[in-house]
Structures are given as structure tokens and as C-alpha cells.
Amino acid sequence: MTGAERRHLPDGRWHFHHGPIDCVVFAEPLTPSPADAEIVEAATAACWQRFQGVLEALVDELALLRLDLSSPAGAAVEPRGPVAVRMVAACRPHARGGRFITAMAAVAGSVADALIGCFAHPRIARACVNDGGDVALHLAPGARFDVGVVADLGAALAGGAPEGAFVVDHASSVRGIATSGWRGRSLSLGIADAVTVLARDAAAADAAATVVANAVDVDVPDVRRRPACDVRDDSDLGDLLVTVGVARLAPHDVNAALDAGVRVAEAEIAAGRIVAAVLQLQGAVRVCGTIGVSHPSPVSAFTAATEPAPC
């Protein structure tokens, strides 16, 4: 494995890459003054310095981070590295009641959270660390991000419009956004095309997106599954069955699967672990929760874009 690499993108963002970790980093000064620009430059340099040690630290504790946190061995896991600590803290609440989950469910969001801290400066208007679709945000007063949500990443990269959009501003408690589903780069026990979760940080959003996406499910022959270890030999899911294909489902099966996911999303909101969730399956959308600021909430934005059935 080669060392960490970075490149400056044409639009001004940075791409940090190391092994399986791919982060796109964006930061904007509060004013166009040279002094504020220097602060952003210094913060970006600190972020790059922080990034270079992340993968090695995770590899050192990988055996612990792949344990099922609902097992006796997993319950005793106490990692040392700061990113690993974030991962376990975000995932451990979901293991209560015997639900299978490993700390790897929050790895991307935890990395994003660790890096976004480098931009916590009052002269930085806004910053974003996007780790493979799991996003950590920094927002100064008056700043905002307009966020689009897609169910099919391939279509979006080809120029397709997002299915919906929402705004996160400084007044919102949301500083993390994550998406999970069977079509993504991670394996899923469920059949959601995409579940996007908004939370107080990216680690919490990442873990909850995994749990809610796993819950969007229905037991029908139209869903193909294989043991995770057969799909990816290094998977932390072992021999659990993961989704590898979903045929066109009957409307009542789509509704049943989304209903199951909605119940878990609502429980996550009630527990205070997430702020909102958007669940998508074969063109049907459910929205749970709101951001609660003066700008459009996920419910209103998605209602305008796709006419979902909100929770």
C-alpha cells in the first residue's frame, strides 16, 4: 500500500487519498481578505497532516474494530486511537438489544469528523469533508450548505438531477450527513436504494444510516442475497447475508420494506441520535424528521421534488 497522496482539484477543493480512504475537502474564508485566505490555507495544511496518520492508526486496531459490538468480546472493546474511539462511540448504542454491528459501520463518518475539526476557526465561513459520501460540516454564523440527495450515484455522476434537496445552516444542529444502501460501496443487509441520515456529526449519521438501511427490507424471492464473506473476503459482516440484487418489487412490498425502515428511523430520532432521515426505494421516498430552521426542511424540499409520503 502506497502512502497518503493529495491533489488540488480544478474547482479549488482538495482530494486526499490513502488506501481505501478518499476524502474531498472544501473550505471557504469568511472574507476574501489575504488574512482569511491564509487561515484557510493553514487549516487545510493541518487537515492534510492529520489525514496522513489516520489509516495506519486504524489498521493497528482493525481486529478490535471488526468485532460485533453486541457480543461479549465487542462489549469490552476500548480502542486507543481518536478515530477508532469515535467509531465505537457512534456504533455502541446500536448494539443494545443484541443487534449486530461493528465499529466499521462508522469508519467513514468518523474520519470526516476528525478532519473537519481542523477548520473550527471563526474566520472560516464554511468547510466540508466528504469521505466517500459521508460528510462532516463546519458552518460559521450566516453560512449554509445546499445539499442534494440521490438514490442512484451513477445517474448523478452522469449529470442527473438529485431526487431532493435540503439546506443546512449554522442554526441547525446538523453537522453530519451519511448515506447507506445496497447500491453503495458498503454492503447492506437491507434493500434500500439509499438512506440518507442527518445527525449532529458524521460518525453518528454514518452508524445510523447503516442501521436504518439494514432495516429497509422485505422477505421476497425478488431479492438476491449472498454471504458477505463471499462478496468481499475482508468484510466485517462474516457470513451474514447481504443484498446483491433487487428485482422490480410489487408496490405493497416496497411499502412494507419502507415501513420497516421508518420504524427504526423514528426510533433513532426519538432517542436523539439523529435529526432526520430520507429513505428511498424504487422511486418511493419516506422522510422522517425536520431540520427545524428557517430554510426549507428535508420534508418541504422533498415534497416539492418528489412528493413523498412523510412519516
Side-chain angles (χ1 to χ4, degrees), residues 6 44 64 82 93 110 142 183 210 223 229 231 253 262 268:
R6 64 174 174 170
T44 304
L64 292 178
S110 297
R183 293 176 177 273
T210 299
V223 178
C229 55
V231 178
D253 289 329
V262 163
E268 291 296 302

Side-chain angles (χ1 to χ4, degrees), residues 65-151:
L65 299 174
R66 290 163 58 93
L67 290 173
D68 174 13
L69 294 174
S70 70
S71 70
V77 167
E78 295 293 343
R80 301 180 307 276
V83 174
V85 169
R86 287 177 185 271
M87 293 164 63
V88 172
C91 294
R92 181 158 275 156
H94 300 288
R96 294 168 188 155
R99 176 192 281 142
F100 178 96
I101 191 169
T102 79
M104 298 302 292
V107 60
S110 297
V111 170
D113 282 337
L115 299 182
I116 200 67
C118 298
F119 298 97
H121 192 287
R123 303 305 301 178
I124 297 177
R126 58 180 188 157
C128 168
V129 176
N130 185 331
D131 184 359
D134 298 328
V135 182
L137 305 174
H138 161 76
L139 289 160
R144 58 182 274 181
F145 276 105
D146 298 299
V147 183
V149 178
V150 300

Side-chain angles (χ1 to χ4, degrees), residues 22 26 96 124 171 182 197 227 240 275:
D22 275 292
F26 163 84
R96 294 168 188 155
I124 297 177
W182 80 271
V197 166
L240 289 177
V275 175

Side-chain angles (χ1 to χ4, degrees), residues 154-237:
L157 293 175
E163 283 86 354
F166 53 84
V167 172
V168 178
D169 70 7
H170 177 264
S172 169
S173 62
V174 173
R175 292 297 182 270
I177 305 166
T179 299
S180 184
W182 80 271
R183 293 176 177 273
R185 65 175 184 170
S186 299
L187 303 180
S188 180
L189 308 183
I191 64 172
D193 292 330
V195 169
T196 299
V197 166
L198 288 69
R200 66 186 179 276
D201 56 48
D206 197 4
T210 299
V211 169
V212 176
N214 284 345
V216 178
D217 201 11
V218 64
D219 186 13
V220 295
D222 298 316
V223 178
R224 293 187 293 112
R225 308 178 199 267
R226 291 174 58 196
C229 55
D230 290 349
V231 178
R232 192 174 300 158
D233 57 13
D234 63 345
S235 173
D236 59 307
L237 300 178

Side-chain angles (χ1 to χ4, degrees), residues 208-310:
T210 299
V211 169
V212 176
N214 284 345
V216 178
D217 201 11
V218 64
D219 186 13
V220 295
D222 298 316
V223 178
R224 293 187 293 112
R225 308 178 199 267
R226 291 174 58 196
C229 55
D230 290 349
V231 178
R232 192 174 300 158
D233 57 13
D234 63 345
S235 173
D236 59 307
L237 300 178
D239 59 1
L240 289 177
L241 295 179
V242 297
T243 302
V244 295
V246 182
R248 194 69 193 174
L249 300 174
H252 65 272
D253 289 329
V254 170
N255 287 330
L258 288 172
D259 286 346
V262 163
R263 287 192 290 271
V264 173
E266 289 177 334
E268 291 296 302
I269 293 171
R273 288 190 286 266
I274 70 173
V275 175
V278 180
L279 292 67
Q280 301 185 68
L281 174 59
Q282 297 191 353
V285 181
R286 302 285 184 89
V287 183
C288 301
T290 61
I291 297 180
V293 298
S294 57
H295 298 299
S297 71
V299 171
S300 63
F302 269 85
T303 300
T306 59
E307 298 184 358

